Amino acid sequence: MTVPENSAESYPVILKGMNAVQDLLRYDSVCVSKNGDVFEISELSADSRLVLLHPLELTVYFDDGLYIVENDVFEIFSFDKSFKNALHDLEIQFYDLWEDFVSVDESCLAPSGIILKKLLQKYLGEKNDTKNIQSF
């Protein structure tokens, strides 16, 4: 896996490829195959109000000029011409899930919603909620 030298904007996400650890913080794009490459995200953007408590695997595909980023744990995906924008969209989906499930009283959730809420709380925490933020 290689990173284009002329890549621009930074996105503060650390991804680990299957064969080598690479710091992709400074790149707007990465070279991936149509078959998909697995990365591990261990941080969200610096301005995020959420933090990852445990790394999450992402599968990234590149097809027809689009980066397709998937997360199997939460069954979400995003796509964009820019790798950075695809990651940003995925992060927005984490916020939306947090607001829709974690910020809601469990009595308002179906059993599957309670399961999703607990899964979200396992992987994510709010930055200002220091009692829930753990170090690995």
Side-chain angles (χ1 to χ4, degrees):
M1 174 178 47
T2 59
V3 179
E5 288 182 35
N6 60 354
S7 296
E9 307 174 54
S10 66
Y11 190 81
V13 173
I14 297 172
L15 298 171
K16 296 179 181 180
M18 298 220 18
N19 297 324
V21 175
Q22 292 187 345
D23 182 359
L24 301 177
L25 291 171
R26 308 286 178 253
Y27 301 98
D28 186 42
S29 60
V30 294
C31 292
V32 294
S33 70
K34 285 185 177 183
N35 296 328
D37 292 306
V38 178
F39 296 91
E40 184 179 86
I41 184 172
S42 58
E43 292 182 11
L44 297 177
S45 61
D47 61 344
S48 170
R49 68 178 181 89
L50 298 175
V51 293
L52 280 175
L53 303 176
H54 303 284
L56 281 174
E57 280 190 0
L58 302 177
T59 305
V60 182
Y61 304 89
F62 187 78
D63 195 15
D64 288 333
L66 294 173
Y67 288 96
I68 304 155
V69 182
E70 298 178 346
N71 174 259
D72 290 337
V73 172
F74 295 105
E75 298 180 1
I76 57 176
F77 74 96
S78 67
F79 60 91
D80 198 277
K81 291 180 181 178
S82 160
F83 180 66
K84 174 187 169 191
N85 290 343
L87 286 174
H88 180 69
D89 182 59
L90 202 70
E91 190 169 313
I92 290 170
Q93 292 182 53
F94 286 134
Y95 297 140
D96 291 343
L97 287 171
W98 186 269
E99 290 299 316
D100 292 344
F101 292 92
V102 177
S103 298
V104 174
D105 187 86
E106 285 187 13
S107 64
C108 299
L109 297 174
S112 59
I114 294 170
I115 292 169
L116 179 56
K117 177 178 182 170
K118 292 186 184 313
L119 189 61
L120 285 161
Q121 290 172 318
K122 176 182 176 183
Y123 281 94
L124 297 165
E126 291 187 282
K127 280 187 181 174
N128 60 358
D129 188 4
T130 55
K131 68 178 183 193
N132 286 333
I133 296 176
Q134 307 162 2
S135 58
F136 337 97

